[in-house]
Amino acid sequence: MRPLRPNKAKKLNRVPRARDSIRPVRPAPKLGRHNQGATDTVAEVASTQVEAEAAIAEAKKAHDRLVEAIDLLPEGIVFLDSDGRYILWNKKYAEIYHRSSDLFASGARLQDTIRIGVARGEYPEAAGREEEWIAERLEKLFHPSGRHEQKLSDGRTILIEERLTGDGGIVGLRVDITELKQREESFRLLFDGNPVPMIVCARDNGRVLGVNAAAVQHYGYSRTAFERLSIRNLQAYESETPWAGEEQSSEEKAARTWKHVRADGTLIDLAIYLRHLVHNEQPAVLLALMDITERKRAEARLAFLAQHDALTGLPSRNLLRQQIDDKLIQRRRGSEKIAVLVLGLDHFKSINDTLGHAVGDRLLRGVGKRLRSILRQEDIVARLNSDEFAIVQGGLARPEDAAQLCRRLLQAIADPYLIDGSSVTIGATIGIAMAPNDGDDAEKLLKNADMALSRAKTETRGSFSYFESGMDARAQSRRKIETELRDAIQRDVLQPHYQPLIDLVTGRITGFEALVRWPHPERGMIPPSEFIPIAEETGLISGLGRSMLRQACSDAAKWPDEVRVAVNMSPLQFRVGNVLSLVMDALKQSGLPASRLELEITETLVLEKSGQVLATLHALRALGVRISMDDFGTGYSSLSYLRSFPFDKIKVDQSFIRDLAANREAQAIVRSIVSLGKGLGVTITAEGVETEAELRCLRSEGCHEAQGYLFSRPRPNAEIVGLLQAQRDAADGAPSGKAMVA
C-alpha cells in the first residue's frame, strides 16, 4: 500500500524533497558595512529553509513508519476526517473490502464508497431497503455508540468498532469474525438442535443462562421460566452444583447420578457431563443432561431378576441359598431345627400340553401366591425350576412338625384354580430335608430334599417323603450312569438293534425298528428304560439320537428287498430345531433312499402344536420320508390333532395289545383304531405282540402290521441280512399269512 497524503488541514498534496525546496547559493560578494544587514537576512532564510527541509523529512519518515506499523496489524484500520473522508487505511482494511478497494483514495468520502458498494451488491442486508440501510450506516459512523456487525456478499461477517477523535475525525476498526460466527453457529446448531437436554449456567451462582429445545420439552419449563431458575432449583436433593469439587476426575463425575425434578414434580435420574466456557463474556458451564431414569429402572429390574423368578416374583435358587445359609447361622444360637422342602407339581407338563403355556404360567403364579399366603412372614418360599418350589421353615422342635406343614401345603395346592373361567386342578409331591441332621449348608439340604422328592414321586406321588441316607447312594449311582452314558455316546459304544415289522396278510418282513442298546463292560446289556430317561433329562438324547439315525441309515442301505428302517425321534430333538438337516445329512452319507426311512414320533410332540415342528414334519414328508405316530392312545389329547398332519402310520401302544384276546374293552379300542386307520388311509401297526392269541385277534380286526417277541427279539445288524435271506429262501414253501420270523 502506498503512503497517503497529509491531512486536509495542512493543505499538503505531497511531501517535498530537499532538492526541490533549496537551491545552491553562490558565494556573496564582499559588501560594505552598509550591506551587512542584508547579508544577515539571507543567512537566516537559508538556515530556516534547511530546518524546514529537515522537519519535512522527519515527518515523512514518521508517516512511513506509521503506515508500516498499521499494515502489520491483523485488524483493518481506517482514519477518516470530520467529513468522513479517507485519510489513511491499512492493507487488512483493503483486503476486507476488496470488492470496493478500487474506490479508496485520499479525500474520497466513505459514504460514497458505501453507496457504490450497495449498488454492487456488497452488502446483502441492504437489499430492498438501500437508502434506509445507508442512512442507518452513516448514523453509526458519525455517532458511534458501540460495536456492530456487518454482513458481506461473500459470506463473511465483519465486526465494526468506530470512535471519534479529538479533532472530530473518526478511527475505525474492522475485524473479520467469520470463523468465530461459524463456530457460534455450529455451537448453536449443536446446542439448540441437540436431542440431548442441554443447559448453560453461570459458573458463580448456577443461574440458568440458556436452554435448548430438548431441555424445555424434557423438563416441562418454558424458556422464560428456566431463566428464573438456577441449577439448584432443578436438583431434588443435592445442594452443590455439578461442577463443585473440581478435584474429582471426569470418570468420577460421570459415574455420579443426579436426581432432578421436572416441572410436574416427577423425579428423573441423570448422568451430567459438563464443559466450562464463556457465555456473553462471563464464565459459564455447559451441562449435557443424559436421562438414565429408564436405565436405572432396568438395572434395578435386572438386579431383582438376578435373584428372583421373573414369572412368580419369588426368590430364585441363588437368593434361596443365601437365605438358607442365613437361617443356618441363626440356628447355631439355638437348638431348633430347620425344614427344607422341595415341592414338585404332579403332571404339570400335561397341563402345559393340553391347556397351553399361558394357562400353565397363570397356574404357577397361583401356586406361588397360595404357598406365600399360608406361610409365616419369616418363612421362605422360592421357585427352583419349571414345576418345583422350595419352602424353608425354621424354629421347628422335631421333624414331625415338617409333616404338618407338608399336609397344609398339599391341601392348599389341591384346591381348584379358576383360570379363564375354567377350573384347573393339580397335585403336588414334597421331599423333606432337616437341618442339621441332613446337611449343614444350603446346597446339601436342597440336594437331599430333591432326592427325597424323587423317591416320593416314584413310590407315593401326591404325598411327602423324608430324606434317608440310602437315597444318596442311589443318586450317586444315577450320576455314574450319566457320566458313563456321556462317554459311551462320544465313543459310539451304543448300537442299534433291529426288531422286524411283519405284514399280517403276507407274513413277510416290511421293515425293522431301530432300538438302541448299550453294551456295558461291567453290567452287560443295559436296558433302554434305565438310560433313555437320563439321556432326555440331561440333554444327551440329541447326541444319542443323531448317532442312532446315522447308524440305522448306514445299515439299512446295505439291506436287500427295499426293506424300510424306522427310527424313534425324541421331542427334544425337534425342539433343538435341526432335525431336517440331520435327516438329510444321514441320507446323503448313507445313500439310503428317503422312501426307505420312517421316523417315529410321539403324541407329545404333536400336542405342542408348534409351527416349527409342523413345518419340519411337512418338509420331511416332501423329502420322501415316512412319518409314524408312536404309542398311539397314551397321550392326553383328542383325535383332532390327526388333522394337523397326514401320518403314514399309527402304532398302537402295547398296553392295548397285552391280553387282547381276553379283554373285550381292548378289542373295542383296537377295532376303532383300525377303522380310523382305514378311513384315513393310514397303516395300523400293533406293538408288543407276544402270543398267537393276540396275533389271531389282530388279524380278525384287520390290523395291517405287528411287531413283538412273538416274531423276533431285536437283533444286531449282523443278523439282519441273514434273516432276510432266510425269508426269501423259505418264501416259496411258507403258507400264506404265516410269519416267516421266529
Side-chain angles (χ1 to χ4, degrees), residues 235-306:
Q235 294 170 182
Y237 309 117
E238 299 85 354
S239 59
E240 62 180 11
T241 60
W243 55 91
E246 293 294 335
E247 70 279 357
Q248 289 181 318
S249 67
S250 58
E251 290 80 4
E252 291 173 328
K253 292 176 184 176
R256 182 171 180 180
T257 298
W258 297 78
K259 195 172 286 293
H260 278 196
V261 185
R262 285 192 176 122
D264 61 3
T266 59
L267 297 179
I268 54 175
D269 293 307
L270 299 168
I272 299 180
Y273 300 85
L274 59 89
R275 180 177 295 276
H276 293 280
L277 46 76
V278 176
H279 181 81
N280 291 337
E281 301 183 353
Q282 72 174 104
V285 181
L286 171 66
L287 304 179
L289 307 160
M290 308 295 293
D291 191 333
I292 58 173
T293 307
E294 291 303 321
R295 192 187 82 186
K296 294 286 287 184
R297 290 174 182 169
E299 288 174 351
R301 178 64 178 166
L302 288 175
F304 179 85
L305 292 178

Side-chain angles (χ1 to χ4, degrees), residues 130-191:
E130 289 78 2
E131 293 301 326
E132 181 183 356
W133 186 87
I134 292 173
E136 292 173 356
R137 177 68 187 93
L138 293 177
E139 176 65 23
K140 293 177 182 177
L141 175 66
F142 291 108
H143 301 89
S145 60
R147 299 176 179 178
H148 62 278
E149 295 177 6
Q150 184 181 73
K151 292 281 188 180
L152 299 182
S153 60
D154 58 5
R156 289 178 298 149
T157 302
I158 308 302
L159 179 66
I160 298 177
E161 184 175 1
E162 293 165 332
R163 296 184 182 180
L164 298 177
T165 61
D167 60 357
I170 302 169
V171 177
L173 179 69
R174 306 290 190 273
V175 180
D176 188 338
I177 59 171
T178 305
E179 184 177 349
L180 176 62
K181 296 297 289 185
Q182 289 174 345
R183 289 200 300 268
E184 289 180 353
E185 180 67 15
S186 297
F187 175 80
R188 187 188 66 78
L189 291 174
L190 290 175
F191 181 76

Side-chain angles (χ1 to χ4, degrees), residues 702-717:
C703 186
H704 305 119
E705 281 185 341
Q707 70 180 103
Y709 275 55
L710 175 64
F711 308 106
S712 173
R713 59 178 175 80
R715 300 169 182 256
N717 183 56

Side-chain angles (χ1 to χ4, degrees), residues 80-142:
L80 306 172
D81 64 15
S82 58
D83 293 331
R85 298 179 183 274
Y86 285 99
I87 297 174
L88 187 64
W89 64 93
N90 67 352
K91 290 181 179 179
K92 186 63 178 179
Y93 183 86
E95 290 175 1
I96 290 174
Y97 297 104
H98 63 90
R99 294 186 62 180
S100 301
S101 61
D102 60 311
L103 305 172
F104 299 165
S106 178
R109 295 193 309 172
L110 176 63
Q111 62 179 341
D112 294 334
T113 62
I114 289 176
R115 185 174 297 279
I116 295 173
V118 169
R120 291 177 177 179
E122 177 70 4
Y123 308 105
E125 294 175 332
R129 52 187 293 269
E130 289 78 2
E131 293 301 326
E132 181 183 356
W133 186 87
I134 292 173
E136 292 173 356
R137 177 68 187 93
L138 293 177
E139 176 65 23
K140 293 177 182 177
L141 175 66
F142 291 108

